[in-house]
Amino acid sequence: MAPARTQSARPAPDSYESHFEHTALFEFSTVINSSLDPQFIFSHILLTIMGKMLATKGLAAIEKASHEFSVEMVKGFPREFVGQMVHVRKLPRSMMDVRKMNSTRYPCAKFFKKIGVRMVLPMFIADKPIGFLAFGERFSKKKLQTREITYLRSLANISATAIEKSRTVEQVQHINRKLDRKIQELNTLFDLSKEYGSLLDAEKLIRLLVFSLLGQIGVNRYIICLRQGSDVRIAASKIDGALPQAELLKTLFKLKTTSLVENLSMPVVQNARDVLVDLKMALVVPMSLQGENKGLMILGEKLSNQPFVETEFEFLSSLANLAIISLENARLFKEAIEKQRMEDELMIAREIQKGLLPNVLPTLKGIDIAATNISSKQVGGDYYDVIPAGAHRYVLAIGDVSGKGTPAALLMASIQASIRALVPLNLSLSELTGRVNDLMCENTGGSKFVTFFWGFVDTEAMTLNYVNAGHNYPYLIHADGSIRRLDKGGMILGIMKTSTPYEEETVQLRAGDLLFLFTDGVSEAMSRESVEYGEERIEALLKSDGGSSAQDIVDLFHKDILRHAGGAQQSDDITMMVIKRE
Amino acid sequence: MSDFKIAQRETNNVNVLELKGYLDAHTAPKLEEAFQQLLKSDRTRIVVNCRDLSYISSAGLGVFMAFIEDVREKSGDIKLTNMSTKVYNVFDLLGFPLLYEIFKDESEAVKKFNDKK
């Protein structure tokens, strides 16, 4: 043990230096490893080595790609060197004097000489080049000793690890940031889909879409347009200038993928492209649903002036598709609600109509009577009635209210109420009709009208006293086959107050006489080929009748109309009434 | 459901909105309405205090984007303050610090408004 003690007690001058160097290396290592800032690291490396070497110029470069080195920092060299790329085909393994570099082995030597580099100190980790340090002439012009070179190499090695560490951390931070952005994008989609799940208001959907776009992408100019049938509607926009024509936007629906405006090359979109360029728009994102383009999000430049990147395209596409599904759902939902509302309303109209029409017709002495009403889908305003009005008198009525659905049904109800109230007044049919017309004009203000035929049947006198207020002329077919149309009366009800009294007529009902009352739903019943049933066909069928009952005749017409329609849906009610003197 | 509240007060001629809770697609319309009200009555010196804001989504950030131009056109501004690290990270990630002034404390933002005069 003793010799060792002696050695440590009186170290050789060499050991002094060695101890000093170790301490310096340790300190150097501590300092440059304490920071992750590459600028700080480069600066410290250069200053330390320049101090050690007594060099006035130093330069640090790191490898960016294979054989390509970028100058990161200079001390004493012109500042313009920073950021320059240096191609170095081969890096010396150790510190090397540029003058000793063989220019065939080291083609970079020429460049180094030109800029005044004297020594090149490579930085390796294992065999992997990290970068190099380069220095100008030593102030002392003295040749470096082996010991000094070894020391400098140690510094370079420590530097290499520190630089590599800082670069790795930088890369991790960069990747982390990219990941964070990705997570943020996913959060945005998640946030929106959660909200969209419970949202059926198209306007609100669009607004949230816009907010997400503005927030996530950082744009402030946009046009969102949606296809509506063959049209294009702008649902939201914020741009500097006039909105592009819908026709122009329509051409952009040909795009299948997210495209930068500057890359729009299809000839058909060139006009649209020019307009978008003028508006400083940058990107077009199709909103597609099941492969069909239903809308477009057109975005302006980002406020950060950063270009759009490929990964954002994916996000924007997902956002667009998510939005269009919800918008489509909202549209379908609205349609369904609307349809349901109409169905409900029609149901009410049908109920009113059913309640108005007589369930069972009264039996008239010596007269056979039958009637039917086939309500159309939309419920027209047809009405018929047979009301007892005294010992052997009955009111017959048939009418057709303008319009359809509940409003028509309600008007029909008010007419029925007024005739039932007025009939007992013992007025002439002409006067009664005038009163009904006046009441109706007061109620509707002339906005609705009714074609109306009515009359009194007297089963003792066997007469029909009638007024025809603009209704399809009923047929009176005599037993001998001759036909009369009952056309006396006046204006349709509801247009204007009665000024000229309604004309009335009384006709005799002889044995075998037949009265056929109908609404235009009969004469205008449509076939699949859009051919009307027509009055000729009514007449022909009436003439063909033999001794069948009123109900038989109604049924006969019903069947014949159905045959004519051939399954075509009828837009109007079909109503008829047959009165036959036995 | 996510909860979000806005309290509004005025201090030194500056309108302060205190946001509380979750600002996401569901609650964004509330903030939109608050900004609309301020803008309508020309109160455009706005400080948004985010001390009790626990979360912000892109849709929430979008509301700030949607109004900033209109507010600045009326020579006002929207300044943000008292953000938690979590909330700040989202702002930072989406590049907002370049577009908005963000302060550690509400008083600094209020002061900035009044210094300008």
Side-chain angles (χ1 to χ4, degrees):
Chain A
M1 285 287 122
R5 228 187 134 205
T6 316
Q7 250 182 14
S8 67
R10 281 195 300 141
D14 240 19
S15 293
Y16 261 135
E17 216 167 309
S18 170
H19 178 71
F20 171 76
E21 281 178 356
H22 278 127
T23 314
L25 278 177
F26 177 72
E27 266 171 24
F28 176 74
S29 169
T30 312
V31 170
I32 64 167
N33 278 304
S34 69
S35 169
L36 288 170
D37 174 12
Q39 292 297 306
F40 173 83
I41 295 172
F42 289 132
S43 176
H44 195 70
I45 292 167
L46 286 177
L47 292 177
T48 305
I49 299 183
M50 283 160 74
K52 178 77 191 164
M53 281 177 63
L54 297 176
T56 52
K57 293 194 272 187
L59 168 160
I62 57 167
E63 192 188 41
K64 288 283 179 184
S66 183
H67 307 297
E68 297 296 334
F69 294 79
S70 124
V71 178
E72 297 291 312
M73 185 169 281
V74 291
K75 304 268 182 201
F77 285 108
R79 285 213 48 80
E80 302 85 77
F81 285 7
V82 176
Q84 273 190 31
M85 295 303 288
V86 184
H87 179 82
V88 179
R89 211 174 73 198
K90 190 172 162 54
L91 209 55
R93 284 298 307 185
S94 176
M95 187 156 197
M96 200 163 177
D97 191 326
V98 170
R99 286 175 304 185
K100 288 189 179 147
M101 282 185 179
N102 176 329
S103 62
T104 10
R105 268 192 86 182
Y106 300 105
C108 57
K110 218 171 137 190
F111 169 76
F112 284 140
K113 277 178 202 156
K114 204 179 94 192
I115 65 167
V117 166
R118 178 69 194 276
M119 302 298 289
V120 174
L121 179 58
M123 292 186 285
F124 282 95
I125 289 181
D127 281 336
K128 190 173 153 253
I130 299 298
F132 64 83
L133 302 164
F135 302 94
E137 190 72 62
R138 295 187 75 182
F139 198 63
S140 61
K141 303 257 162 94
K142 265 167 86 182
K143 194 170 171 272
L144 283 167
Q145 291 169 10
T146 321
R147 185 185 185 96
E148 286 175 308
I149 290 176
T150 312
Y151 178 68
L152 292 174
R153 279 183 70 181
S154 300
L155 285 178
N157 284 341
I158 295 169
S159 305
T161 348
I163 290 166
E164 187 64 1
K165 189 177 80 184
S166 121
R167 281 172 66 186
T168 311
V169 169
E170 207 177 316
Q171 274 170 9
V172 169
Q173 279 171 343
H174 182 68
I175 292 170
N176 264 340
R177 213 166 156 79
K178 266 168 82 175
L179 264 177
D180 281 349
R181 271 200 76 94
K182 212 72 203 157
I183 291 170
Q184 183 64 26
E185 285 176 356
L186 289 175
N187 274 340
T188 302
L189 291 175
F190 178 64
D191 181 31
L192 214 55
S193 61
K194 205 171 55 176
E195 191 54 24
Y196 274 6
S198 58
L199 205 58
L200 287 163
D201 173 350
E203 214 175 291
K204 214 171 159 197
L205 283 167
I206 294 271
R207 234 173 32 240
L208 286 184
L209 170 67
V210 166
F211 285 152
S212 295
L213 266 179
L214 299 189
Q216 181 73 37
I217 303 294
V219 292
N220 222 354
R221 294 290 177 269
Y222 54 86
I223 303 171
I224 293 175
C225 50
L226 300 173
R227 188 184 273 273
Q228 255 178 0
S230 60
D231 283 339
V232 170
R233 183 177 68 89
I234 293 173
S237 68
K238 187 170 187 182
I239 51 169
D240 301 313
L243 277 171
Q245 303 273 322
E247 287 304 312
L248 219 50
L249 292 173
K250 227 185 252 185
T251 60
L252 293 169
F253 278 76
K254 298 226 162 37
L255 294 179
K256 289 283 167 253
T257 52
T258 300
S259 317
L260 288 167
V261 168
E262 59 184 34
N263 292 345
L264 291 177
S265 56
M266 274 195 287
V268 65
V269 301
Q270 284 319 296
N271 288 338
R273 187 201 128 114
D274 293 345
V275 170
L276 293 185
V277 166
D278 283 347
L279 288 171
K280 295 204 168 58
M281 294 315 230
L283 193 72
V284 183
V285 187
M287 305 172 84
S288 56
L289 186 66
Q290 288 159 350
E292 202 189 328
N293 208 345
K294 296 265 191 186
L296 295 173
M297 305 193 306
I298 304 172
L299 308 182
E301 301 285 353
K302 290 192 211 171
L303 288 185
S304 62
N305 283 325
Q306 297 285 313
F308 283 93
V309 292
E310 206 70 33
T311 50
E312 283 170 321
F313 287 16
E314 288 165 27
F315 164 74
L316 286 167
S317 250
S318 308
L319 187 68
N321 297 345
L322 174 71
I324 201 70
I325 291 172
S326 299
L327 285 167
E328 193 67 4
N329 280 344
R331 192 182 63 79
L332 292 174
F333 181 73
K334 201 174 152 198
E335 262 182 27
I337 291 274
E338 195 65 19
K339 211 175 144 206
Q340 186 59 47
R341 203 184 56 77
M342 273 172 61
E343 294 276 327
D344 289 353
E345 200 199 283
L346 288 178
M347 187 62 89
I348 294 169
R350 225 168 271 140
E351 288 297 315
I352 297 172
Q353 196 183 37
K354 235 170 80 187
L356 289 177
L357 300 175
N359 284 332
V360 186
L361 294 175
T363 316
L364 278 66
K365 200 178 155 204
I367 285 177
D368 183 17
I369 188 163
T372 190
N373 165 266
I374 306 153
S375 190
S376 72
K377 195 168 182 297
Q378 291 92 350
V379 187
D382 280 12
Y383 164 64
Y384 72 86
D385 216 344
V386 180
I387 314 161
H392 38 78
R393 288 201 339 147
Y394 295 87
V395 175
L396 293 183
I398 188 163
D400 184 357
V401 178
S402 65
K404 295 197 188 321
T406 321
L410 287 175
L411 183 56
M412 213 160 73
S414 81
I415 291 166
Q416 188 195 43
S418 39
I419 64 173
R420 285 187 182 234
L422 289 169
V423 161
L425 291 184
N426 224 1
L427 295 169
S428 77
L429 191 60
S430 164
E431 280 173 301
L432 286 173
T433 312
R435 295 264 185 112
V436 173
N437 179 49
D438 289 347
L439 276 174
M440 204 184 141
C441 283
E442 278 166 27
N443 283 339
T444 65
S447 64
K448 290 251 161 39
F449 56 87
V450 184
T451 68
F452 194 63
F453 175 95
W454 71 326
F456 287 105
V457 172
D458 190 322
T459 51
E460 240 179 47
M462 277 301 168
T463 53
L464 169 69
N465 167 224
Y466 77 88
V467 164
N468 187 342
H471 194 76
N472 301 60
Y473 303 151
Y475 289 93
L476 175 60
I477 300 114
H478 295 297
D480 61 5
S482 60
I483 291 181
R484 257 211 71 180
R485 305 293 295 268
L486 306 183
D487 55 0
K488 297 286 182 289
M491 233 186 359
I492 46 179
L493 307 181
I495 299 283
M496 55 192 284
K497 286 214 167 186
T498 317
S499 48
T500 351
Y502 281 89
E503 205 182 335
E504 54 178 272
E505 187 188 20
T506 305
V507 291
Q508 196 66 42
L509 298 174
R510 290 186 287 253
D513 279 0
L514 180 90
L515 200 56
F516 183 74
L517 316 177
F518 64 100
T519 58
D520 57 7
V522 174
S523 51
E524 291 166 15
M526 284 291 174
S527 72
R528 284 186 166 281
E529 296 76 32
S530 296
V531 176
E532 289 185 0
Y533 188 72
E535 296 204 338
E536 290 83 5
R537 196 151 167 178
I538 297 177
E539 279 177 39
L541 205 60
L542 284 171
K543 280 179 182 166
S544 75
D545 164 54
S548 41
S549 72
Q551 188 60 52
D552 287 343
I553 296 165
V554 167
D555 292 345
L556 184 70
F557 269 97
H558 190 181
K559 257 185 242 161
D560 197 47
I561 291 165
L562 286 182
R563 198 177 308 134
H564 170 76
Q569 201 180 60
Q570 298 303 310
S571 62
D572 209 351
D573 289 3
I574 293 172
T575 306
M576 51 194 153
M577 192 191 290
V578 172
I579 292 122
K580 196 173 179 190
R581 165 121 195 239
E582 286 161 355
Chain B
M1 265 327 295
S2 46
D3 211 12
F4 178 69
K5 281 199 181 70
I6 304 174
Q8 198 182 319
R9 59 188 160 78
E10 211 181 307
T11 169
N12 291 332
N13 255 333
V14 173
N15 292 279
V16 180
L17 297 182
E18 283 179 35
L19 309 188
K20 186 176 178 170
Y22 274 68
L23 177 55
D24 57 13
H26 184 66
T27 55
K30 278 194 193 172
L31 182 61
E32 182 192 12
E33 203 195 313
F35 279 141
Q36 258 162 5
Q37 290 299 332
L38 288 174
L39 202 60
K40 218 195 284 172
S41 49
D42 281 329
R43 288 175 289 168
T44 55
R45 289 146 58 93
I46 304 167
V47 167
V48 178
N49 187 325
C50 305
R51 193 182 52 226
D52 295 322
L53 186 66
S54 34
Y55 173 81
I56 186 162
S57 78
S58 295
L61 294 173
V63 181
F64 289 99
M65 290 287 283
F67 284 95
I68 188 68
E69 275 184 317
D70 293 344
V71 167
R72 285 185 184 157
E73 251 164 47
K74 293 192 169 186
S75 53
D77 196 17
I78 301 174
K79 298 187 198 297
L80 301 149
T81 73
N82 303 72
M83 281 182 198
S84 69
T85 316
K86 192 177 149 199
V87 167
Y88 178 79
N89 283 345
V90 179
F91 272 92
D92 185 41
L93 198 59
L94 300 176
F96 273 60
L98 284 174
L99 312 170
Y100 295 83
E101 279 192 293
I102 300 176
F103 296 90
K104 273 208 170 60
D105 192 76
E106 183 191 308
S107 57
E108 298 168 48
V110 173
K111 188 164 174 287
K112 185 77 183 279
F113 268 119
N114 290 319
D115 279 353
K116 253 192 248 166
K117 276 199 290 189

